Amino acid sequence: PTLGCASTPIPSKEGSAAMAESKKEEFRKYLERAGVIDALTKVLVALYEEPEKPANALDFIKQYLGAPTSGDVETMKAEKDEMVKKNEELTRQLEEVTNRLAELQAGGGEQEGQ
């Protein structure tokens, strides 16, 4: 039942609770359809069955689900920085070789030292 005038109904406590339960049930069904409940159940069972519990349960869950851990992220950042430096070096070398080739071609194919 609602209180108030017809244009502005005020839901009763029972109506609000039923609406909240309906939303919860809708969300639960969504999680089930999306496979979230199954995935979480599997990872929690794996954690439960782990003979030696990991020091960081959250990292275990992330790793089980395929997400990189904090250590993985740091390693990837270091690798990226190294690759950026290597790319800059190779780009510089390519530019030098390209310039040298242009010089040789401009010389009409003459060899140095003659």
Side-chain angles (χ1 to χ4, degrees):
T2 59
L3 306 172
C5 64
S7 63
T8 57
I10 301 171
S12 68
K13 287 184 179 180
E14 295 86 20
S16 294
M19 203 151 84
E21 280 302 314
S22 173
K23 284 188 173 191
K24 286 180 186 177
E25 182 62 22
E26 203 174 298
F27 185 66
R28 188 194 63 74
K29 286 180 181 176
Y30 159 74
L31 292 175
E32 193 171 333
R33 281 192 310 271
V36 174
I37 291 176
D38 189 45
L40 288 175
T41 301
K42 286 179 181 176
V43 71
L44 291 174
V45 167
L47 181 58
Y48 175 78
E49 292 176 346
E50 195 67 25
E52 291 186 33
K53 302 299 181 234
N56 189 333
L58 191 54
D59 275 350
F60 175 89
I61 291 169
K62 287 177 182 179
Q63 186 177 8
Y64 188 91
L65 293 174
T69 62
S70 56
D72 293 338
V73 172
E74 292 304 315
T75 300
M76 286 188 271
K77 284 180 180 178
E79 288 175 358
K80 178 199 146 257
D81 291 344
E82 187 178 315
M83 288 180 186
V84 166
K85 288 177 184 175
K86 182 70 173 174
N87 185 30
E88 289 170 354
E89 173 64 20
L90 290 172
T91 300
R92 185 189 61 73
Q93 288 177 6
L94 176 62
E95 189 175 313
E96 288 175 5
V97 169
T98 302
N99 289 340
R100 180 70 177 133
L101 179 61
E103 288 172 11
L104 291 173
Q105 288 175 339
E110 295 177 17
Q111 294 181 350
E112 286 187 24
Q114 288 187 355

